[in-house]
Amino acid sequence: MSIREVAVADEAGLLGRIYRSIFRVRPVPQTELERSQAVASNFFFHIHSAKVYEETLKFKKTLGLGLFSLFTFVVLVITGILLMFYYVPAPEQAYQRMLDLRGVVSFGTFLRNMHRWGAHAMVGLVILHMMRVYLTGAHKAPRELNWVIGVVLLLLTLFLSFTGYLLPWDQLAYWAIMVGTSIASYAPVVGDQIRFFLLGDDDVGREALLRFYVLHVVVLPAVLSALIGLHFWRIRKDGGLARPSTDE
Amino acid sequence: MNARPQNAEAPAHERFPLKPGKTYGLMCVVPTRTENTGSAAEKQVQSWPAALSRELLLFLVTVVALGLVSYFFNAPLEEPASALHPPNPAKAPWYFLGLQEMVSYSAFWGGIGIPGILVGLAMAAPYLERKRGGEGVWFHHSRSGANWTFLTLMTTLGILTLIGTLFRGENWALIVPW
Ligand code: HEM
């Protein structure tokens, strides 16, 4: 049955037509074709191939680490947006807002915990994912470019986590960023300029907090999301995940 | 969907019987190797439900695991930031403590030189390793050299990170954390 035929076959009044306008297949696809269409004609899964090699589905092949990285990122985006409703990136208010999350906002502590532990977890998961890719030889031709994209993803993940670290504006945050950004100043010739560019000042202060905030909630997540899209698209273009049968 | 001939094993004259009303002749022989001859067809399955159900499961595992950790452990919050009261030692976030540890030996090499070389090496790695084989197999014997180099570098970074995190106290002196 084609998409059209399916649509005609169970056209059942208004609700059916509304459903059909969003999803092109039945809730539980019955045929191979419909199963393909469930993936290929669905906006959310459009990036996913309609078929996968059975070999690469095995958990021990990937340990699920790429997907764990992705889903942790999803959790971070959701909790991060919720935190944005309470947070103010100004030195006089930022810390007080942390106390409010703890005392006044319902589930505020849980929300902040989720975002913080998620951020630590994501750094670890992405590193582990990189290790699994290398140790299974999945970085080699034709997947070189996707590996390089991956290295950029790792650097972005580190930087995303680092910019978030300053936002609570407590001693831990302040001095970690002080130390972290001083590393940038060890670059020859332009070191101090780089640090000034990051902080918007000679020291960590009002300007740095604002810069890190904008990087943390807009710039880096946007770039990271776009690159993750590219990363997944490349997996398809490189012929699915690495597996011995074709590549050897 | 299933376009593969059922009797792929049968000889060609059985699979493609001559039609009586036609004449046949050999037009040309193409002297190239065809794609995929001799290799068995790989088993593919529909992503729905095989892959998507697993992906959903991993998503649930992620949410539940993060939820549990967040339920039992609270994120740290220290005193308000103060430029006048530097802690001793001040430490970067854990993933930069390997760098900070290296910086304590040499500011330039630890903070810029070596990290730069490592990132460069990482990006070049797939282009440098040109020998094919071993793709999609854990610790394939033909890649043991590359794997050992990689693991040695990662372990070194891991140990430096561990030292910076646990074994450095006041004035960055070595301490025993217990
Ligand atoms: C935000 C970070 C990242 C996300 C969300 C992500 C996500 C994924 C996912 C979902 C896959 C599918 C297979 C799997 O689950 O293992 C994958 C494959 C891959 N990733 Fe990543 N990844 C990230 C970072 C990286 C990094 C840091 C590298 C390497 C430096 C990398 C290199 C690759 C390569 C080469 C593949 C193809 C592997 C194969 O064909 O078996 N990725 N990634």
Side-chain angles (χ1 to χ4, degrees), chain B residues 80-126:
Chain B
S82 159
L84 302 175
H85 301 286
N88 187 359
K91 288 191 179 185
W94 65 268
Y95 38 85
F96 286 152
L97 284 182
L99 294 196
Q100 200 179 343
E101 175 66 16
M102 291 196 287
V103 162
S104 71
Y105 305 112
S106 156
F108 170 74
W109 285 109
I112 307 287
I114 294 178
I117 292 173
L118 286 180
V119 170
L121 268 183
M123 293 215 181

Coordinates of all heavy atoms in Angstrom, one line a residue, chain B residues 80-126:
Chain B
P80 N 29.4 32.8 48.2 CA 29.4 33.7 47.0 C 30.8 34.0 46.5 O 31.7 34.1 47.3 CB 28.7 34.9 47.5 CG 28.0 34.6 48.8 CD 28.7 33.4 49.3
A81 N 30.9 34.3 45.2 CA 32.2 34.6 44.6 C 32.8 35.8 45.2 O 32.1 36.8 45.5 CB 32.0 34.8 43.1
S82 N 34.1 35.7 45.5 CA 34.8 36.9 46.0 C 36.2 36.9 45.5 O 37.0 36.0 45.7 CB 34.8 36.8 47.6 OG 35.9 37.6 48.0
A83 N 36.5 38.0 44.8 CA 37.8 38.2 44.2 C 38.9 38.3 45.3 O 40.1 38.2 45.0 CB 37.9 39.4 43.3
L84 N 38.5 38.6 46.5 CA 39.4 38.9 47.6 C 39.9 37.6 48.4 O 40.8 37.7 49.1 CB 38.8 39.9 48.6 CG 38.4 41.2 48.0 CD1 37.7 42.1 49.0 CD2 39.6 41.9 47.4
H85 N 39.1 36.6 48.2 CA 39.4 35.4 48.9 C 39.7 34.2 48.0 O 38.9 33.3 47.9 CB 38.3 35.0 49.9 CG 37.9 36.1 50.8 ND1 38.7 36.4 51.9 CD2 36.9 37.0 50.8 CE1 38.2 37.4 52.6 NE2 37.1 37.8 51.9
P86 N 40.9 34.1 47.4 CA 41.2 33.0 46.6 C 41.4 31.7 47.4 O 42.1 31.8 48.4 CB 42.6 33.4 45.9 CG 43.1 34.5 46.8 CD 42.0 35.1 47.5
P87 N 40.8 30.6 47.0 CA 41.0 29.4 47.7 C 42.4 28.9 47.4 O 43.0 29.3 46.4 CB 39.9 28.5 47.1 CG 39.6 29.0 45.8 CD 39.9 30.5 45.9
N88 N 42.9 28.0 48.2 CA 44.2 27.5 48.0 C 44.1 26.0 48.1 O 43.9 25.4 49.1 CB 45.3 28.0 49.0 CG 46.7 27.6 48.6 OD1 46.9 26.9 47.6 ND2 47.6 28.0 49.4
P89 N 44.3 25.2 47.0 CA 44.5 25.7 45.6 C 43.2 26.0 44.9 O 42.2 25.4 45.3 CB 45.2 24.5 45.0 CG 44.5 23.3 45.6 CD 44.3 23.7 47.0
A90 N 43.2 26.9 43.9 CA 42.1 27.1 43.0 C 42.2 26.1 41.9 O 43.2 25.9 41.3 CB 42.1 28.5 42.5
K91 N 41.1 25.3 41.7 CA 41.2 24.3 40.7 C 40.1 24.5 39.6 O 39.0 24.9 39.8 CB 40.9 22.9 41.3 CG 42.0 22.4 42.2 CD 41.8 21.0 42.6 CE 43.0 20.5 43.5 NZ 42.9 19.1 43.8
A92 N 40.6 24.2 38.4 CA 39.7 24.2 37.2 C 38.7 23.1 37.3 O 38.8 22.2 38.2 CB 40.5 24.1 35.9
P93 N 37.6 23.0 36.5 CA 36.7 21.8 36.5 C 37.5 20.6 36.2 O 38.6 20.6 35.6 CB 35.8 22.1 35.4 CG 35.8 23.5 35.1 CD 37.2 24.0 35.5
W94 N 37.0 19.4 36.6 CA 37.9 18.2 36.6 C 38.4 17.9 35.2 O 39.6 17.4 35.1 CB 37.1 17.0 37.1 CG 35.9 16.6 36.3 CD1 34.6 17.1 36.5 CD2 35.8 15.7 35.2 NE1 33.8 16.5 35.5 CE2 34.5 15.7 34.7 CE3 36.8 14.9 34.5 CZ2 34.1 14.9 33.6 CZ3 36.4 14.2 33.4 CH2 35.1 14.2 33.0
Y95 N 37.6 18.2 34.1 CA 38.1 17.8 32.8 C 39.3 18.6 32.4 O 39.9 18.3 31.3 CB 37.0 17.8 31.8 CG 36.0 18.9 32.0 CD1 36.3 20.2 31.5 CD2 34.9 18.7 32.7 CE1 35.4 21.2 31.7 CE2 34.0 19.8 33.0 CZ 34.2 21.0 32.4 OH 33.4 22.1 32.6
F96 N 39.6 19.7 33.1 CA 40.8 20.5 32.7 C 41.9 20.3 33.7 O 42.9 21.0 33.7 CB 40.4 22.0 32.6 CG 39.7 22.3 31.4 CD1 38.8 23.4 31.4 CD2 39.8 21.6 30.2 CE1 38.1 23.7 30.2 CE2 39.1 21.9 29.1 CZ 38.2 23.0 29.1
L97 N 41.7 19.4 34.7 CA 42.7 19.3 35.8 C 44.0 18.6 35.2 O 45.1 18.8 35.8 CB 42.2 18.6 37.0 CG 41.3 19.5 37.8 CD1 40.8 18.8 39.1 CD2 42.0 20.8 38.2
G98 N 43.8 17.8 34.2 CA 45.0 17.2 33.5 C 45.9 18.3 33.0 O 47.1 18.3 33.1
L99 N 45.2 19.3 32.3 CA 45.9 20.5 31.8 C 46.6 21.2 32.9 O 47.7 21.6 32.9 CB 45.0 21.4 31.0 CG 44.3 20.9 29.8 CD1 43.8 22.1 29.0 CD2 45.3 20.1 28.9
Q100 N 45.8 21.5 34.0 CA 46.3 22.3 35.1 C 47.5 21.6 35.7 O 48.5 22.3 36.1 CB 45.2 22.5 36.1 CG 45.5 23.7 37.1 CD 44.5 24.0 38.1 OE1 43.3 23.5 38.0 NE2 44.8 24.7 39.1
E101 N 47.5 20.3 35.8 CA 48.6 19.5 36.3 C 49.8 19.7 35.4 O 50.9 20.0 35.9 CB 48.2 18.0 36.4 CG 49.3 17.1 36.8 CD 49.8 17.3 38.2 OE1 49.1 18.0 39.0 OE2 50.9 16.8 38.6
M102 N 49.6 19.6 34.1 CA 50.7 19.8 33.2 C 51.2 21.3 33.2 O 52.4 21.5 33.1 CB 50.3 19.5 31.7 CG 50.0 18.0 31.5 SD 50.0 17.5 29.8 CE 48.4 18.2 29.2
V103 N 50.3 22.2 33.4 CA 50.7 23.6 33.5 C 51.7 23.8 34.7 O 52.5 24.7 34.6 CB 49.5 24.5 33.6 CG1 49.8 25.9 34.2 CG2 48.8 24.7 32.3
S104 N 51.5 23.0 35.7 CA 52.3 23.2 36.9 C 53.8 22.8 36.6 O 54.7 23.2 37.3 CB 51.8 22.4 38.1 OG 52.0 21.0 37.9
Y105 N 54.0 22.1 35.5 CA 55.4 21.8 35.1 C 55.9 22.9 34.1 O 57.0 23.3 34.2 CB 55.5 20.4 34.5 CG 55.0 19.3 35.3 CD1 53.8 18.6 35.0 CD2 55.6 19.0 36.5 CE1 53.3 17.6 35.8 CE2 55.1 18.0 37.4 CZ 54.0 17.3 37.0 OH 53.5 16.3 37.8
S106 N 55.0 23.2 33.1 CA 55.4 24.2 32.1 C 54.1 24.9 31.6 O 53.2 24.2 31.1 CB 56.1 23.5 31.0 OG 56.0 24.4 29.8
A107 N 54.1 26.2 31.8 CA 52.9 26.9 31.5 C 52.5 26.8 30.0 O 51.4 26.4 29.6 CB 53.0 28.4 31.9
F108 N 53.5 27.1 29.2 CA 53.2 27.0 27.7 C 53.0 25.6 27.3 O 51.9 25.3 26.7 CB 54.4 27.6 26.9 CG 54.2 27.3 25.4 CD1 53.2 28.0 24.7 CD2 54.9 26.3 24.8 CE1 53.0 27.7 23.4 CE2 54.7 26.0 23.4 CZ 53.7 26.7 22.7
W109 N 53.9 24.7 27.5 CA 53.7 23.3 27.0 C 52.5 22.6 27.6 O 51.8 21.9 26.9 CB 55.0 22.5 27.2 CG 56.0 22.9 26.3 CD1 57.2 23.6 26.5 CD2 56.0 22.6 24.9 NE1 57.9 23.8 25.4 CE2 57.2 23.2 24.3 CE3 55.1 22.0 24.0 CZ2 57.5 23.2 23.0 CZ3 55.4 22.0 22.6 CH2 56.6 22.6 22.1
G110 N 52.3 22.8 28.9 CA 51.2 22.1 29.6 C 49.9 22.7 29.2 O 48.9 21.9 29.0
G111 N 49.8 24.0 29.0 CA 48.5 24.6 28.7 C 48.2 24.8 27.3 O 47.0 24.8 26.9
I112 N 49.2 24.9 26.4 CA 48.9 25.2 25.0 C 49.6 24.2 24.1 O 48.9 23.6 23.3 CB 49.4 26.6 24.6 CG1 48.9 27.7 25.6 CG2 49.1 27.0 23.2 CD1 47.4 28.0 25.4
G113 N 50.9 24.0 24.3 CA 51.6 23.2 23.4 C 51.1 21.8 23.3 O 50.7 21.3 22.2
I114 N 51.2 21.0 24.4 CA 50.8 19.6 24.3 C 49.3 19.5 24.0 O 49.0 18.7 23.1 CB 51.1 18.9 25.7 CG1 52.7 18.9 25.8 CG2 50.6 17.5 25.7 CD1 53.2 18.3 27.1
P115 N 48.4 20.2 24.6 CA 47.0 20.1 24.2 C 46.8 20.3 22.7 O 46.0 19.6 22.1 CB 46.2 21.1 25.1 CG 47.1 21.4 26.2 CD 48.5 21.2 25.7
G116 N 47.5 21.4 22.2 CA 47.3 21.6 20.8 C 47.8 20.5 19.9 O 47.1 20.1 19.0
I117 N 49.0 19.9 20.3 CA 49.5 18.8 19.5 C 48.5 17.6 19.6 O 48.2 16.9 18.6 CB 50.9 18.3 20.1 CG1 51.9 19.4 19.8 CG2 51.3 17.0 19.5 CD1 53.2 19.2 20.4
L118 N 47.9 17.4 20.8 CA 47.0 16.2 21.0 C 45.8 16.4 20.1 O 45.3 15.5 19.5 CB 46.6 16.1 22.4 CG 47.7 15.5 23.4 CD1 47.2 15.4 24.8 CD2 48.2 14.1 22.9
V119 N 45.2 17.6 20.1 CA 44.0 17.9 19.3 C 44.4 17.7 17.8 O 43.6 17.0 17.0 CB 43.4 19.3 19.5 CG1 42.4 19.6 18.5 CG2 42.8 19.4 20.9
G120 N 45.6 18.2 17.4 CA 46.0 18.0 16.0 C 46.2 16.6 15.7 O 45.7 16.1 14.6
L121 N 46.8 15.8 16.6 CA 47.0 14.4 16.3 C 45.6 13.7 16.2 O 45.4 12.8 15.3 CB 47.7 13.7 17.5 CG 49.3 13.6 17.4 CD1 49.8 12.9 18.6 CD2 49.6 12.9 16.1
A122 N 44.7 14.0 17.1 CA 43.4 13.4 17.1 C 42.7 13.6 15.7 O 42.1 12.7 15.1 CB 42.5 13.9 18.2
M123 N 42.8 14.9 15.2 CA 42.1 15.2 14.0 C 42.8 14.5 12.8 O 42.2 14.1 11.8 CB 42.1 16.7 13.7 CG 41.3 17.4 14.7 SD 40.5 18.8 13.9 CE 39.6 19.6 15.3
A124 N 44.1 14.3 12.9 CA 44.9 13.7 11.8 C 44.8 12.2 11.8 O 45.0 11.5 10.8 CB 46.3 14.1 11.8
A125 N 44.4 11.6 13.0 CA 44.5 10.1 13.2 C 43.9 9.3 12.0 O 44.6 8.4 11.5 CB 43.9 9.8 14.5
P126 N 42.7 9.6 11.6 CA 42.1 8.7 10.6 C 42.8 8.9 9.2 O 42.7 8.0 8.4 CB 40.6 9.2 10.5 CG 40.6 10.6 11.1 CD 41.7 10.6 12.1

